[in-house]
Amino acid sequence: MCFDPDSRPPIEPIAGGALDSERLTLTSEDGTEISAFRARAAKPSGSGILILPDVRGLHAYYEELSLRFAEHGIDAVAIDYFGRSAGLAPRDPDFDYTPHLTQVSWEGLSADIRTGAAALRGIRGNDAEVRHVFVTGFCMGGRLAYLSATLGLGVSGVIGFYGWPTGPHRTGSPAPADVASAIEAPVLALYGGADQGITAEVRATFDAALDAAGVEHRTVVYPDAPHSFFDRKAAEFAAASDAAWKETLGFIAAHGG
């Protein structure tokens, strides 16, 4: 698990920045209904972001993060992974994701990502166009964010918060480093320097693969920050969290036109 059940994004709200928000149900490509959360910006910039959670699925953390993006003019949709096994109801803090994670497949995940991207593009109906779609994710979702740029979605950029870029995964998703040549968008990779799983060697392997594939990318490592540092509760890593949020917004501004 990336965060504790009571963790929340370390970002100050902006009053009046979000037009509206709601929980909704999407229908994936195989007919499965999945839960999602959308937040629309009061002053849309033309950019939108698809949020891919960690192993817990659609947690309150990601609903709140959607609002924080909307307050900065970025429409947002966050999706769940477990509609096929856990249903649509909101989950309590004791939700055990483990048995559901074993039933997730890369085929299902990629279908849900495509569905989420389509929902983001249509988030405003005829009101305004989302011209630039970005994807971000955390831990498992960070890995999936990188992989979303291989699905032919025409995304403008992908942002991974401590996403695992190498090795096998229990969902069957490919390693981003192994499919770097298929990545079709700029990459922003954010890591904690004290992450004991995603080591300097792992990061270097991904960077080398992106270099070899000619993929524009920026890797930022925050010294002494652990895995999952982007957390309101982790006050000692507030500076790293603030810097990571600024990197994220800057990346979207630079690639969103």
Side-chain angles (χ1 to χ4, degrees):
M1 183 187 297
C2 273
F3 302 106
D4 293 330
D6 60 347
S7 294
R8 295 294 185 273
I11 308 161
E12 290 295 325
I14 299 174
L19 174 64
D20 57 29
S21 63
E22 65 176 335
R23 206 176 162 93
L24 64 156
T25 299
L26 304 177
T27 301
S28 193
E29 295 175 345
D30 62 0
T32 300
E33 291 187 330
I34 62 172
S35 294
F37 184 88
R38 75 173 187 182
R40 299 195 301 170
K43 296 181 179 180
S45 64
S47 290
I49 194 155
L50 177 63
I51 300 172
L52 305 179
D54 67 325
V55 292
R56 293 171 308 179
L58 186 57
H59 182 271
Y61 180 103
Y62 300 105
E63 296 183 357
E64 184 171 327
L65 182 61
S66 299
L67 289 167
R68 301 293 86 83
F69 274 112
E71 290 165 354
H72 285 268
I74 303 162
D75 293 319
V77 170
I79 63 170
D80 185 51
Y81 305 130
F82 303 131
R84 293 167 183 80
S85 60
L88 300 173
R91 288 144 205 168
D92 60 39
D94 297 325
F95 172 68
D96 182 7
Y97 64 85
T98 307
H100 303 285
L101 190 62
T102 61
Q103 301 177 63
V104 170
S105 68
W106 170 233
E107 181 181 17
L109 289 168
S110 56
D112 294 348
I113 291 169
R114 287 192 291 266
T115 299
L120 179 61
R121 283 196 161 94
I123 195 171
R124 293 188 166 269
N126 296 323
D127 179 41
E129 182 183 5
V130 176
R131 300 185 303 277
H132 304 282
V133 170
F134 295 83
V135 184
T136 190
F138 294 73
C139 193
M140 178 181 115
R143 179 185 179 103
L144 294 174
Y146 301 143
L147 293 173
S148 71
T150 71
L151 298 178
L153 298 176
V155 298
S156 294
V158 295
I159 305 157
F161 280 78
Y162 23 90
W164 294 78
T166 63
H169 194 270
R170 50 189 158 175
T171 62
S173 64
D178 292 344
V179 295
S181 61
I183 292 177
E184 300 176 335
V187 171
L188 174 62
L190 305 172
Y191 304 105
D195 190 329
Q196 297 183 6
I198 306 177
T199 62
E201 181 181 4
V202 169
R203 299 192 300 264
T205 297
F206 190 35
D207 283 340
L210 293 171
D211 284 337
V215 176
E216 178 187 342
H217 64 101
R218 174 169 167 77
T219 298
V220 184
V221 181
Y222 300 100
D224 302 322
H227 193 77
S228 304
F229 66 86
F230 198 70
D231 184 350
R232 188 181 303 165
K233 292 169 56 181
E236 66 270 40
F237 306 115
S241 292
D242 183 60
W245 181 237
K246 290 177 180 176
E247 285 280 353
T248 298
L249 295 179
F251 180 81
I252 292 172
H255 295 90

